[in-house]
Amino acid sequence: MRRLALIALPLVLSGCFYPADRGRALETRLEKLDATQAQLQAELKQTREQLDATLPKIDAKIAEVSKALQSLDTASRRSGADIGIQLQKTVEDLAQLRGQVETYLYKIGELEGALSKTSAETEKRLLALKGDEALKEAEAKKKAEELKRPTDKKEFLALAQEKAKGGDVAVARQLYSEFLKKWPKDALASDAHFGLGETYFSEDKCREALFEYGKLLQEYPKADSTPDAYLRSSECFKKLKMQEESRLALEELVKGYPKSEAAKTAKARLAELDKAKKAEPKKGGKK
């Protein structure tokens, strides 16, 4: 029961914390940008519909011109002047329709450009509102997208681990996340969860790290990295001033994985905690 509570706790702690005032400002700006995008999309749709309606007219005029040209040699009962006037009018109508098409195409290009610009501004403002961390994540995502992805899952995971080891934590995080989307039920997903947790742990993002460690403890209790996940969880709880949970993680580690290297460290830390507790002055005692 205690173990289940320990596993479930990180999932509760990992909720997204965002200041209310900044959240409201974000929503207001997004609503305005969404309205602008909706208007542009409506204009674009209308222009495309106008273009679609005009193109058949052009086809009809072309057919009319072709028919007129083909009948020149058989139009003996009509004067050359009459035929010339008819052709001239048809050509003028065709030129007018072509002008409309060019106008529509130009307008479509402008609207598509405006939509693209609005989307870029929306993304930029979102990142600015979320702060430097969001900007870093966006840059890391772009950098990760430029990397050549191995098709083999082991090589893919190795690439993420290599980036993490090299200090490129944000890119490694992107790769670990992508691995978990591609192979969520694979046995190697345990290493991906642990690696992802480590990227957060290295930046003191304990809530996010605990979520990944918790997923590992819950779904892969027999994985090689599970004992280390318990140890890291204990450290995270300690940083969050959750001493009881920190101790519980150490106890569960020793109990469940007594022969692991992580358990040796856990025993030493538990001994230190016991020693410190004995050294504490009793309540109500003499000062």
Side-chain angles (χ1 to χ4, degrees):
M1 189 70 181
R2 295 174 71 204
R3 179 177 178 274
L4 291 176
L6 181 66
I7 292 173
L9 187 57
L11 306 183
V12 176
L13 286 174
S14 63
C16 180
F17 294 87
Y18 201 75
D21 56 342
R22 293 182 68 188
R24 284 191 292 270
L26 175 61
E27 289 177 0
T28 301
R29 294 190 183 186
L30 283 178
E31 286 174 0
K32 292 180 180 178
L33 289 168
D34 286 342
T36 301
Q37 284 187 318
Q39 182 180 354
L40 288 171
Q41 287 172 346
E43 291 181 17
L44 182 59
K45 181 181 178 182
Q46 182 181 6
T47 304
R48 282 177 172 162
E49 288 174 351
Q50 290 172 336
L51 177 61
D52 291 340
T54 303
L55 289 175
K57 294 180 182 179
I58 291 179
D59 292 337
K61 280 294 177 183
I62 291 173
E64 184 180 337
V65 172
S66 298
K67 184 178 179 181
L69 290 172
Q70 290 172 1
S71 64
L72 277 176
D73 57 345
T74 60
S76 57
R77 286 175 293 179
R78 298 179 59 189
S79 69
D82 290 340
I83 296 173
I85 291 171
Q86 183 183 1
L87 284 174
Q88 181 64 29
K89 187 176 183 305
T90 303
V91 169
E92 288 175 357
D93 291 344
L94 184 58
Q96 184 179 1
L97 289 170
R98 282 177 175 172
Q100 290 179 5
V101 169
E102 290 177 359
T103 300
Y104 293 148
L105 289 174
Y106 178 78
K107 189 173 181 181
I108 286 174
E110 282 193 326
L111 289 169
E112 287 178 339
L115 276 171
S116 178
K117 183 179 179 182
T118 304
S119 298
E121 288 179 355
T122 301
E123 184 177 357
K124 186 177 180 181
R125 290 183 183 182
L126 272 171
L127 293 174
L129 283 169
K130 291 181 179 179
D132 293 338
E133 196 60 40
L135 287 172
K136 289 180 182 178
E137 290 294 331
E139 290 173 0
K141 184 177 181 180
K142 185 177 179 181
K143 190 175 179 181
E145 287 172 352
E146 295 172 354
L147 287 174
K148 185 177 180 181
R149 302 290 200 281
T151 55
D152 181 76
K153 57 188 177 183
K154 290 183 179 179
E155 293 178 4
F156 195 108
L157 183 62
L159 177 61
Q161 293 169 335
E162 178 187 336
K163 291 296 178 182
K165 188 176 180 180
D168 208 344
V169 177
V171 173
R173 187 177 299 148
Q174 291 290 334
L175 293 172
Y176 280 128
S177 298
E178 190 173 331
F179 181 95
L180 290 170
K181 288 179 181 178
K182 286 178 176 287
W183 300 284
K185 300 300 181 181
D186 192 88
L188 291 174
S190 61
D191 292 330
H193 277 299
F194 183 75
L196 189 53
E198 290 290 270
T199 66
Y200 288 121
F201 183 82
S202 67
E203 296 178 340
D204 286 330
K205 297 177 181 178
C206 284
R207 294 180 185 276
E208 292 87 346
L210 279 169
F211 178 81
E212 298 302 329
Y213 296 143
K215 292 283 287 184
L216 175 55
L217 301 183
Q218 183 180 37
E219 298 179 13
Y220 304 94
K222 296 182 179 180
D224 292 339
S225 52
T226 299
D228 291 322
Y230 270 109
L231 196 59
R232 285 299 203 204
S233 295
S234 174
E235 294 174 24
C236 282
F237 283 126
K238 185 177 180 180
K239 289 184 178 182
L240 292 171
K241 310 297 182 184
M242 301 173 69
Q243 306 302 336
E244 184 177 346
E245 289 78 6
S246 177
R247 183 184 183 93
L248 177 58
L250 294 175
E251 291 174 346
E252 289 297 324
L253 169 54
V254 173
K255 179 182 177 182
Y257 310 88
K259 296 182 179 181
S260 66
E261 287 296 319
K264 295 179 181 179
T265 303
K267 289 176 183 178
R269 292 180 182 177
L270 285 170
E272 291 175 3
L273 290 173
D274 291 338
K275 184 178 180 180
K277 189 174 183 180
K278 289 180 181 179
E280 290 178 0
K282 294 182 180 179
K283 292 182 179 180
K286 293 183 179 180
K287 294 183 180 179

